[in-house]
Amino acid sequence: MDTTPQKIAFLGLGSMGLPMARRLLDAGHPLTVWNRTAAKADALVADGAVRAPSPAEAVRDADVVVTMLADPAAALAVADELIPALRPGTHWIDTSTVGPDTVAALAARLPAGVTLLDAPVMGSVDRAAAGELLILAGGDTAPVAGVLALLGEVTPCGGPGAGAALKLVLINAVIGGVALVAEALTLADSLGLPRDLALRTLGAGPLSGAVGRATATGSHFPVALAAKDVALATATAKLPVLEAVHNLLVRDPALLGEDLAALTR
Ligand code: NAP
């Protein structure tokens, strides 16, 4: 693994991007940052990152570009601005959850000599800060292995788009599992059973991981982003259970900004 500090541009400093960018800066990489809401970069800039006024300026001199954006619309909008400024030899890692179709659309527009790795992540803000994300990589990770190692553990998934595809599989299983735990708790309540008893016994069975996620306190994965991920899945295949889960997710506007665990409250 090449350990020479690479010049990194990080675009998208939301709940996930900010702690991820912080790890790259703290590891000694020269870091240029851009975020639509510029103030979110303030703390990084105070600690030595360079603030770019636009996506194009952010990536112009970068060896590695990392994007962590909300959804396909955001990724495509930022891509419109950054792609013309990418120079040959740049490696672009997209860690956003956008699905394989968007990854293919981005890849089709790459300038010659630029690579794109789809590398969406499992794990929330707590694991992003700790560098303990599960990184689902589609394509060749070798040129960016040092950067990825600072963010978490890489699972090679196959060729371009395979990381984005597996991410939809894994996150939809998690979201569906949390929704099922929420319904099981509603059922327990309607049968007059204590919530603690239901949670403890569910957690001792095959849904233990879903119970763990449904009761997590260090995560911040808003219901709105979960709904986006379910919509990406149901646009791909016939998934009646997940279609019902999508309806559940978007039913209460007050929940959209809350962590997924709010489904169980
Ligand atoms: P977030 O806090 O909402 O941040 C989203 C980022 O996208 C912000 O930087 C936001 O800029 C930017 N953005 C949104 N629309 C944009 C547009 N039209 N043009 C330019 N920038 C735009 O979301 P997050 O929790 O960090 O999640 C980011 C991605 O990681 C999502 O794909 C999500 O599904 C995935 N993910 C999240 C988690 C989690 O636990 N949160 C875990 C794994 C994966 P502003 O700051 O200006 O709004």
Side-chain angles (χ1 to χ4, degrees):
M1 188 187 303
D2 182 0
T3 53
T4 314
Q6 291 169 299
K7 280 186 284 180
I8 300 175
F10 203 113
L11 297 88
L13 303 171
S15 302
M16 291 294 287
L18 192 58
M20 292 165 68
R22 161 67 62 187
R23 289 191 60 79
L24 303 180
L25 182 66
D26 288 353
H29 287 283
L31 186 71
T32 301
V33 291
W34 176 86
N35 194 63
R36 179 180 63 175
T37 306
K40 289 189 188 172
D42 287 354
L44 293 173
V45 171
D47 290 338
V50 173
R51 190 195 314 269
S54 67
E57 289 304 319
V59 306
R60 207 172 291 288
D61 295 321
D63 302 312
V64 177
V65 172
V66 185
T67 44
M68 186 38 138
L69 298 158
D71 53 23
L76 292 166
V78 174
D80 280 344
E81 297 191 54
L82 75 82
I83 284 176
L86 291 169
R87 60 182 169 85
T90 305
H91 300 291
W92 177 7
I93 308 168
D94 182 34
T95 63
S96 326
T97 303
V98 292
D101 291 350
T102 297
V103 170
L106 298 177
R109 297 166 52 192
L110 289 183
V114 175
T115 67
L116 173 65
L117 182 76
D118 49 299
V121 301
M122 293 294 289
S124 192
V125 293
D126 45 359
R127 284 167 61 186
E132 292 174 356
L133 294 168
L134 172 61
I135 303 168
L136 306 169
D140 181 14
T141 58
V144 292
V147 172
L148 295 176
L150 292 167
L151 303 177
E153 185 179 336
V154 175
T155 293
C157 302
L166 185 60
K167 167 74 198 217
L168 291 189
V169 173
L170 300 188
I171 193 61
N172 274 278
V174 170
I175 296 164
V178 170
L180 194 58
V181 169
E183 287 215 340
L185 292 176
T186 302
L187 176 61
D189 187 46
S190 70
L191 292 170
L193 293 165
R195 179 187 170 92
D196 285 356
L197 172 67
L199 266 180
R200 192 171 69 247
T201 48
L202 276 169
L207 280 177
S208 62
V211 171
R213 181 59 188 85
T215 54
T217 54
S219 300
H220 182 64
F221 178 50
V223 169
L225 289 178
K228 173 263 301 180
D229 290 348
V230 177
L232 286 168
T234 56
T236 302
K238 186 154 178 51
L239 304 166
V241 172
L242 284 168
E243 279 167 21
V245 168
H246 187 268
N247 292 338
L248 177 78
L249 292 171
V250 299
R251 191 176 54 185
D252 181 358
L255 279 190
L256 291 175
E258 299 283 314
D259 178 62
L260 185 62
L263 290 188
T264 62
R265 289 204 290 271

